[in-house]
């Protein structure tokens, strides 16, 4: 043990630590957001692996010294390589607490090596229980005031990191790899990640998934709304990492028409107004003159080297300057003094439904003052609460226009758009065609009001048995329905639906018809024929990436599956388990 301690002391003292960098990727665009700095010991040492390195540090009571040395080594090498984007670098809460109320030493270090503090994300790695939340919050607030941002590492693994999330309000949260590995095969992991996505949206933190190793994991994370990720599938840690992703694009969810599919939903960039930003060092007097000259200017974004850092609000600045001596007192001071340091900042490619949730969950002032829109972390434009509400209203009117008037469910247009969007995302799902058997005779016998009641029962049961967060239910018209199910237990859900329909539909028939098991109707030729009670048939096609090219093909396939279901007696479920031939991508229309 003494030998390890001596070797570790030499590694730290002689600066033999070897940084490597792993890209963190924007899963919407495929671009690199930044790099996580990781550490290795000398290649010829028993302490080469990080596990051995930190185990030795703990035994030798040198964790703090090693942690500080790792931070320095990663930052210096990142600056030396002139890597683009952000640097995510690990540090322990204890290391920050040692700084006490003096985060200036950390800030000055980054300044000495020529690394802009706004590009540095401190990842807090919790290796032991920590109850000093108040002190840690004060230190992290001091770091933030200097431009640094905070990330919470290994969510789901540490001792109290959910409490840390609540106390520190980090800018980034990194999801532990345990919840990423084989997530596509584990509904419980999916539910956990879905919950974390919701919390991150509410808190304003950006979620990063660690340990992505397979395309299936990647596609599942994208479907659940995780925006950023890292892992061996994307890129391995390297001493000199790539600045672009050298990946097979057919493995990635943003390949092909994925983004085009998502374009069926309006994005934040569709609400964007061109508002010229102002550098943080420009005096407040310049902002005052700009507001005075342009009555329609409601806010001015404040940036530093193209990165938004705040928002000057019209009514706040004008009211302040209207007070005696305030204009003389503050006019020559830089505008960052009077800016709102916590504006709402959103990525240009967030869809308006998600944006609406963020705005509603945030403070009321964001509806009035608007929000900043960025792309790859840099300022792009401004959006207003008015424009957002108008777009949401347009979507609601459009949904109402295409909704079925009886059930209120989406009609043919949104059904087809949703199918094409799922195909563009290369997301696996089950397409279900639901149809009532002998419905017209029932409608003729009992009347259209009773027929409407039966149709509404089907709509109610489909919605009740679908996963509201993962499944889509639409009403084609009459007694025909479509469900697009991404829930892993879709077959069990459909069987429970049929059982519920069998019990509830019986109440819609007279006692005599229930006893007889059917009813007599007259054919067009006037002959009487006996028909069984109205039942429900479900035809299902399992859709996997690359099998179908459009909603037309899926519509034809589900229609065939429904015909097979109708051949079965009673309430029936037919699942087409034969796999169609993959479409020939080389075939071109018009050849």
């Amino acid at each position: 043990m003494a030998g390890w301690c001596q070797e570790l002391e030499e590694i730290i003292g002689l600066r033999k630590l070897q940084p490597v960098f792993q890209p963190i990727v924007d899963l919407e665009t495929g671009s690199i957001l930044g790099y996580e700095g990781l550490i290795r010991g000398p290649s010829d040492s028993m302490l080469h692996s990080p596990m051995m390195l930190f185990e030795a540090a703990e035994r030798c009571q040198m964790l703090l010294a090693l942690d500080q040395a790792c931070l320095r080594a990663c930052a210096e090498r990142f600056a030396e390589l002139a890597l683009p984007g952000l640097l995510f670098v690990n540090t322990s809460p204890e290391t920050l607490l040692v700084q006490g109320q003096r985060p200036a030493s950390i800030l000055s270090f980054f300044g000495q090596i020529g690394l802009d503090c706004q590009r540095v994300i401190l990842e807090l790695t919790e290796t032991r229980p920590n109850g000093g939340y108040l002190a840690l919050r004060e230190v992290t607030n001091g770091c933030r005031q200097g431009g640094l941002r905070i990330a919470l590492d290994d969510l789901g693994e540490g001792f109290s990191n959910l409490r840390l999330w609540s106390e520190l309000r980090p800018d980034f949260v990194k999801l532990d790899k345990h919840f990423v590995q084989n997530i596509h095969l584990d509904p419980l992991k999916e539910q956990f990640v879905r919950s974390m996505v919701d919390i991150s949206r509410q808190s304003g933190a950006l979620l990063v998934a660690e340990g992505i190793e397979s395309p299936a994991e990647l596609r599942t994370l994208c479907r659940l709304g995780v925006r950023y990720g890292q892992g061996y599938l994307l890129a391995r840690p390297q001493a000199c990492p790539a600045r672009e992703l050298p990946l097979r694009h057919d493995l990635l969810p943003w390949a092909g028409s994925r983004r085009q599919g998502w374009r069926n939903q309006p994005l934040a960039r569709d609400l964007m107004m061109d508002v010229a930003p102002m550098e943080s060092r420009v005096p407040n007097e310049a902002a005052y003159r700009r507001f005075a000259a342009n009555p329609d200017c409601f806010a001015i974004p404040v940036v530093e080297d193209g990165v938004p850092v705040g928002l000057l609000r019209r009514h706040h600045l004008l009211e302040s300057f209207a007070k005696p001596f305030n204009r003389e007192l503050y006019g020559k001071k830089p505008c960052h003094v009077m800016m709102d340091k916590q504006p709402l900042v959103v990525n240009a490619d967030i869809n308006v439904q998600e944006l609406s949730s963020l705005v509603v969950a945030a403070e009321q002032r964001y509806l009035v003052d608007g929000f900043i829109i960025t792309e790859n972390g840099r300022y792009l434009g401004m959006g207003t609460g008015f424009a957002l509400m108008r777009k949401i209203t347009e979507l609601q009117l459009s949904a109402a226009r295409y909704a079925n008037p009886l059930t209120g469910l989406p009609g043919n247009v949104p059904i087809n758009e949703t199918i094409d969007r799922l195909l563009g995302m290369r997301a696996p799902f089950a397409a279900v065609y639901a149809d009532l058997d002998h419905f017209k005779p029932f409608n003729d016998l009992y009347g259209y009001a009773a027929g409407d009641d039966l149709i509404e029962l089907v709509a109610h049961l489909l919605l009740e048995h679908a996963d509201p967060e993962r499944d889509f239910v639409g009403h084609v018209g009459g007694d025909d329905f479509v469900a697009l199910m991404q829930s892993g237990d879709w077959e069990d859900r459909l069987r429970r639906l049929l059982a519920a329909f069998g019990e509830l539909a019986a109440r819609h028939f007279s006692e005599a018809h229930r006893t007889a098991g059917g009813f007599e109707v007259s054919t067009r030729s006037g002959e009487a024929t006996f028909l069984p009670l109205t039942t429900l048939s479900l035809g299902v096609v399992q859709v996997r990436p690359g099998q179908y090219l459009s909603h037309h093909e899926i519509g034809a396939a589900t229609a065939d599956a429904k015909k097979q279901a109708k051949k079965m007696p009673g309430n029936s479920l037919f699942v087409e388990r034969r796999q169609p031939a993959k479409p020939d991508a080389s075939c071109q229309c018009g050849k």
Side-chain angles (χ1 to χ4, degrees):
M1 191 65 230
W4 273 17
C5 295
Q6 183 178 354
E7 183 177 1
L8 181 59
E9 189 172 349
E10 180 181 321
I11 289 173
I12 295 174
L14 298 179
R15 307 182 74 173
K16 293 183 176 181
L17 293 170
Q18 300 177 354
V20 293
F21 300 92
Q22 185 174 34
I24 295 174
V25 180
D26 185 332
L27 302 182
E28 282 284 343
T29 64
S31 61
I32 293 178
L33 172 72
Y35 300 82
E36 179 178 1
L38 304 168
I39 211 71
R40 305 286 186 265
S43 57
D44 58 351
S45 169
M46 288 289 291
L47 303 182
H48 173 68
S49 76
M51 183 179 298
M52 294 294 293
L53 194 63
F54 280 89
E55 181 180 341
E58 184 170 14
R59 292 187 180 184
C60 299
Q61 298 185 341
M62 297 174 64
L63 272 175
L64 182 59
L66 177 60
D67 196 53
Q68 292 175 325
C70 290
L71 190 151
R72 287 197 305 269
C74 288
E76 288 172 347
R77 183 60 177 158
F78 182 85
E80 182 182 343
L81 292 172
L83 291 173
L86 306 175
L87 169 64
F88 290 73
V89 59
N90 287 274
T91 189
S92 69
E94 289 77 14
T95 297
L96 284 185
L97 288 171
V98 166
Q99 305 297 325
Q101 303 305 313
R102 297 178 291 102
S105 59
I106 298 179
L107 301 174
S108 63
F109 163 69
F110 291 122
Q112 290 170 9
I113 65 173
L115 184 57
D116 186 349
C117 290
Q118 294 185 4
R119 297 178 58 200
V120 179
I121 316 296
L122 296 180
E123 288 191 22
L124 296 187
T125 305
E126 194 179 22
T127 56
R128 62 192 67 205
N130 178 13
Y133 297 109
L134 179 59
L136 188 58
R137 184 166 66 237
E138 290 178 355
V139 175
T140 54
N141 286 343
C143 291
R144 281 196 174 102
Q145 290 174 4
L148 296 171
R149 283 180 280 179
I150 304 297
L152 182 62
D153 197 19
D154 295 332
L155 178 71
E157 184 190 49
F159 292 91
S160 55
N161 45 24
L162 281 177
R163 171 75 184 272
L164 274 177
W165 191 345
S166 174
E167 294 282 354
L168 302 185
R169 303 299 172 95
D171 304 280
F172 291 85
V173 173
K174 302 192 76 175
L175 191 65
D176 184 67
K177 63 183 179 182
H178 166 77
F179 296 98
V180 173
Q181 292 172 346
N182 294 319
I183 186 175
H184 56 293
L185 304 176
D186 191 332
L188 186 59
K189 287 184 179 180
E190 280 201 27
Q191 185 56 51
F192 179 87
V193 173
R194 188 180 293 111
S195 300
M196 294 305 100
V197 169
D198 290 340
I199 295 174
S200 68
R201 286 173 181 163
Q202 296 291 334
S203 69
L206 301 176
L207 198 61
V208 181
E210 298 182 297
I212 303 173
E213 296 186 359
S214 76
E217 292 170 351
L218 179 59
R219 292 188 180 113
T220 302
L221 291 166
C222 288
R223 174 169 53 79
L224 295 176
V226 177
R227 181 61 191 268
Y228 302 99
Q230 67 184 108
Y232 285 175
L233 176 70
L234 303 170
R236 291 176 176 268
Q238 293 180 330
C240 295
R243 295 166 184 258
E244 295 181 358
L245 294 178
L247 296 172
R248 283 177 49 198
H249 286 278
D250 59 329
L251 295 179
L252 304 178
W254 56 79
S257 60
R258 175 179 187 270
R259 293 184 58 74
Q260 184 178 357
W262 274 115
R263 290 296 294 164
N264 289 327
Q265 296 184 357
L267 306 177
R269 66 169 70 247
D270 298 322
L271 308 176
M272 194 169 64
M273 299 172 55
D274 186 14
V275 179
M278 189 169 283
E279 286 290 334
S280 63
R281 296 179 179 83
V282 172
N284 287 312
E285 179 66 28
Y288 174 80
R289 290 198 300 269
R290 184 165 156 189
F291 281 132
N294 186 358
D296 294 329
C297 182
F298 58 95
I300 301 174
V302 180
V303 300
E304 291 183 1
D305 297 325
V307 177
V309 295
L311 189 69
L312 285 168
R313 295 180 286 148
R314 177 187 184 87
H315 57 89
H316 171 71
L317 190 140
L318 294 184
E319 287 176 8
S320 177
F321 272 33
K323 296 178 181 178
F325 308 114
N326 268 19
R327 184 171 181 180
E328 292 79 3
L329 184 62
Y330 293 104
K332 294 182 179 180
K333 291 187 177 181
C335 62
H336 70 74
V337 173
M338 297 192 68
M339 73 181 184
D340 177 359
K341 296 180 175 61
Q342 293 183 318
L344 181 59
V345 180
V346 300
N347 188 280
D349 290 325
I350 186 175
N351 69 61
V352 294
Q353 297 290 356
E354 294 177 272
L355 176 57
S356 176
S357 298
L358 283 177
V359 172
V360 169
E363 299 178 32
Q364 185 176 356
R365 60 191 171 95
Y366 295 136
L367 275 174
V368 178
D369 300 325
F371 44 89
I372 294 174
I373 300 173
T374 63
E375 188 168 49
N376 297 325
R378 302 186 68 79
Y379 175 74
L380 199 61
M382 285 282 298
T384 66
F386 174 76
L388 174 61
M389 293 302 103
R390 183 173 59 189
K391 181 60 68 175
I392 292 294
T393 302
E394 290 175 1
L395 290 175
Q396 291 173 338
L397 290 174
S398 177
R401 177 185 177 190
Y402 293 116
N404 185 278
L406 176 61
T407 62
L409 291 175
N412 287 336
V413 171
I415 290 172
N416 294 338
E417 287 180 347
T418 303
I419 292 175
D420 287 338
R421 184 162 62 248
L422 289 170
L423 292 176
M425 292 172 61
R426 299 181 65 81
F429 63 97
V432 185
Y433 195 151
D435 184 28
L436 289 167
D437 307 313
H438 310 303
F439 175 72
K440 187 178 185 306
F442 171 88
N443 205 45
D444 292 341
L445 182 63
Y446 284 92
Y448 70 87
D452 286 351
D453 289 343
L454 203 57
I455 289 173
E456 288 181 317
L457 173 63
V458 176
H460 170 74
L461 291 176
L462 281 167
L463 289 172
E464 184 179 83
H465 289 82
D467 183 335
E469 294 188 4
R470 305 181 63 192
D471 301 335
F472 172 94
V473 177
H475 189 173
V476 176
D479 58 324
D480 294 333
F481 295 82
V482 166
L484 309 172
M485 307 184 73
Q486 293 183 278
S487 47
D489 58 344
W490 59 265
E491 190 165 352
D492 289 338
R493 291 175 181 270
L494 294 178
R495 294 193 184 280
R496 293 196 299 269
L497 184 156
L498 289 176
F501 179 84
E503 178 183 344
L504 297 175
R507 305 173 188 175
H508 292 256
F509 294 88
S510 67
E511 184 175 352
H513 290 157
R514 287 198 299 270
T515 302
F519 49 86
E520 281 193 353
V521 295
S522 296
T523 64
R524 290 183 178 179
S525 61
E527 298 179 1
T529 183
F530 182 84
L531 295 176
L533 299 180
T534 302
T535 52
L536 180 63
S537 293
L538 303 177
V540 182
V541 172
Q542 299 178 78
V543 180
R544 295 184 175 84
Q547 289 181 333
Y548 299 94
L549 295 178
S550 70
H551 63 266
H552 298 289
E553 294 184 3
I554 290 179
T558 53
D560 289 340
K562 182 197 69 171
K563 291 177 184 177
Q564 296 300 320
K566 282 182 167 293
K567 294 178 182 179
M568 304 163 66
N571 296 303
S572 58
L573 170 66
F574 176 82
V575 180
E576 179 57 82
R577 303 191 186 276
R578 296 172 298 176
Q579 298 302 315
K582 289 189 176 182
D584 185 357
S586 65
C587 291
Q588 303 292 327
C589 294
K591 273 194 173 183

